[in-house]
Amino acid sequence: MIRHIVRLRRYEHRYVQPAFTFSALQFLSFTKTALPQIHLTLHTSQLSMTESLNKEDVMESLSAIQITERGNRRVGNQCLLKLTSGAELHQSLTLTRVDCCYHISCVTSDRVWVSDNKNNLMLTDTTGVPLHRVEDSLSGVGPHTVNSESELIYIDRNYNINKLSKDMKTTTTFIETTDSTWEPGGVYWSPSTGDLLVGMYNDDTKTGKVTRYNQSGQLTQTIQNHNTGRGLYSGPCFITENNNGDVVVSDFMSGAVVVTERGGRHRFSYTGHPSGSGLAPCGICTDALSHILVCDVITDTVQMINKDGQFLSHLLTEPQEMRVPWGLSYDVNTHRLWVGSYNKVRVYRYITRQDALTDEHRPSPYEEAMSSSTPAV
């Protein structure tokens, strides 16, 4: 029985997804009613009993199985994802009254906020028709993000950081800018911590920094200098965060993607393809497989590098109708990539999800359990 439980634990850890509700506990409960009463003696470091199998005992025995708050297992999902042979265009939309799509923030699989360099910030669906507009947004390249409550967080023209409610009826000031020497240029809400990362620029010194604010709007961290003491950034606008906690910044002015660990220590700077073509980085995001994706307006490509800064591929190139890509946003629910270029937004698929539970080469949990040796009684 111990071997049996261990095998089920292993199966759950590797394969069970939120949509698959057949758990080890349900299976053992089934065996209690479907099979004759089992009397056993268990001796472990945590349990010693001689009695009939019951649900409380099973729950205690399976207490080592850990389930996240939302029922998602990130590592398990990653094991089921893989890259396709190339990016496939899923759909394309033309935006009205948008000059150049500089920045994209996904709300749902069919709704996104997009902005250009002329103070246009609008919510649109897959038709490209504006559903809502924000009139006081900052003209820039990374001035908005969306939190877990589907609220828009954006920088206004006075360099304050505002929050627009989900129903788009209430706007509140989340962070008020009081130091005029540092101007916010880009924001990113962290799904893992709930923090807000803000890219700041000092026009006098031509330097930048990344600041972190908690959910109450309090400053908790400043990332500004290399381990050696010199400045990390020139103009951090596009910001994202990788699955390992790395803070990933697209710094157009320095021509590099600058990556620091969660605590602020510099890990690496990516300056372009190994051929030496250089890099003019714009939109940036990370995906479920911890790849870093960045737009390069020198080569008109979207480049993919791994979490340690090694170039992997040109995910998108100009022949794929991507002239001068600027904005990027990765949809964690559909694993699709939104790419902005001029007044066009295109959605691509380059990751597929393999359903291990339907793999004909793998047995079902019931078959795997029943194929094991008969429990000792």
Side-chain angles (χ1 to χ4, degrees):
M1 181 58 74
I2 292 175
R3 289 196 303 270
H4 179 60
I5 291 175
V6 169
R7 187 174 293 105
L8 286 173
R9 283 180 182 169
R10 187 185 306 115
Y11 188 93
E12 273 207 334
H13 177 72
R14 291 177 59 189
Y15 302 131
V16 174
Q17 300 302 311
F20 185 70
T21 59
F22 190 93
S23 69
L25 177 58
Q26 289 173 311
F27 176 76
L28 291 180
S29 297
F30 161 78
T31 64
K32 181 180 177 182
T33 57
L35 301 176
Q37 194 77 282
I38 300 175
H39 294 269
L40 71 161
T41 301
L42 295 178
H43 295 284
T44 69
S45 59
Q46 297 179 343
L47 178 65
S48 178
M49 66 180 183
T50 303
E51 59 185 8
S52 299
L53 185 68
N54 58 59
K55 184 173 293 188
E56 288 72 26
D57 299 332
V58 174
M59 291 178 67
E60 186 174 354
S61 298
L62 299 180
S63 61
I65 297 178
Q66 297 181 359
I67 301 175
T68 61
E69 181 180 350
R70 295 180 180 272
N72 296 319
R73 300 184 182 183
R74 172 173 288 181
V75 174
N77 284 335
Q78 286 187 23
C79 293
L80 298 176
L81 299 175
K82 72 172 186 177
L83 294 175
T84 62
S85 57
E88 174 189 351
L89 180 63
H90 175 66
Q91 67 184 133
S92 178
L93 53 144
T94 301
L95 306 177
T96 59
R97 293 176 58 190
V98 170
D99 180 61
C100 183
C101 183
Y102 274 16
H103 192 51
I104 306 172
S105 295
C106 283
V107 183
T108 62
S109 60
D110 59 355
R111 289 195 173 193
V112 293
W113 286 97
V114 296
S115 61
D116 61 13
N117 61 341
K118 295 183 178 179
N119 298 109
N120 292 314
L121 173 57
M122 73 172 193
L123 177 69
T124 183
D125 57 16
T126 52
T127 66
V129 177
L131 303 176
H132 188 81
R133 290 186 180 272
V134 174
E135 302 297 334
D136 63 338
S137 65
L138 176 71
S139 174
V141 290
H144 54 86
T145 186
V146 174
N147 65 15
S148 60
E149 306 301 321
S150 297
E151 297 171 318
L152 175 71
I153 300 174
Y154 70 97
I155 305 172
D156 69 16
R157 298 178 192 179
N158 295 318
Y159 297 102
N160 297 316
I161 299 176
N162 297 336
K163 184 184 292 184
L164 177 66
S165 62
K166 182 178 180 179
D167 60 9
M168 293 171 286
K169 295 181 179 180
T170 306
T171 301
T172 57
T173 300
F174 182 57
I175 299 172
E176 183 177 2
T177 299
T178 57
D179 185 355
S180 59
T181 60
W182 288 98
E183 298 176 351
V187 290
Y188 173 76
W189 177 80
S190 167
S192 61
T193 64
D195 294 340
L196 185 71
L197 298 172
V198 182
M200 310 285 284
Y201 175 70
N202 189 315
D203 189 46
D204 296 330
T205 61
K206 309 301 180 185
T207 60
K209 65 181 179 180
V210 173
T211 52
R212 181 186 296 269
Y213 297 85
N214 63 20
Q215 298 181 45
S216 300
Q218 298 174 322
L219 177 65
T220 60
Q221 184 186 26
T222 298
I223 305 174
Q224 188 170 2
N225 296 320
H226 272 277
N227 316 329
T228 58
R230 60 189 178 90
L232 273 172
Y233 312 107
S234 295
C237 288
F238 293 105
I239 306 172
T240 189
E241 187 180 66
N242 215 337
N243 296 327
N244 60 359
D246 284 351
V247 177
V248 183
V249 173
S250 174
D251 194 327
F252 182 86
M253 296 177 66
S254 67
V257 173
V258 182
V259 178
T260 60
E261 65 176 11
R262 170 66 175 82
R265 184 180 66 85
H266 179 250
R267 288 198 61 222
F268 65 87
S269 292
Y270 172 76
T271 56
H273 189 273
S275 64
S277 58
L279 188 71
C282 295
I284 200 163
C285 65
T286 61
D287 62 25
L289 297 175
S290 299
H291 299 129
I292 298 171
L293 308 176
V294 59
C295 293
D296 176 31
V297 296
I298 291 180
T299 58
D300 288 348
T301 61
V302 174
Q303 300 183 19
M304 176 188 292
I305 63 178
N306 68 14
K307 61 182 177 62
D308 298 315
Q310 179 183 2
F311 174 83
L312 298 178
S313 69
H314 287 106
L315 182 65
L316 296 173
T317 59
E318 188 173 352
Q320 292 165 293
E321 304 180 22
M322 280 315 306
R323 292 182 57 240
V324 194
W326 278 93
L328 280 185
S329 186
Y330 178 79
D331 186 345
V332 296
N333 296 312
T334 63
H335 304 295
R336 293 172 184 166
L337 182 68
W338 295 69
V339 186
S341 173
Y342 291 106
N343 67 333
K344 299 279 188 180
V345 173
R346 293 178 175 87
V347 186
Y348 293 88
R349 290 185 290 197
Y350 70 100
I351 289 179
T352 59
R353 184 178 185 276
Q354 300 297 304
D355 192 350
L357 298 176
T358 60
D359 190 332
E360 63 181 3
H361 299 294
R362 290 192 178 99
S364 69
Y366 178 82
E367 292 169 338
E368 184 173 82
M370 297 307 293
S371 65
S372 65
S373 59
T374 304
V377 294

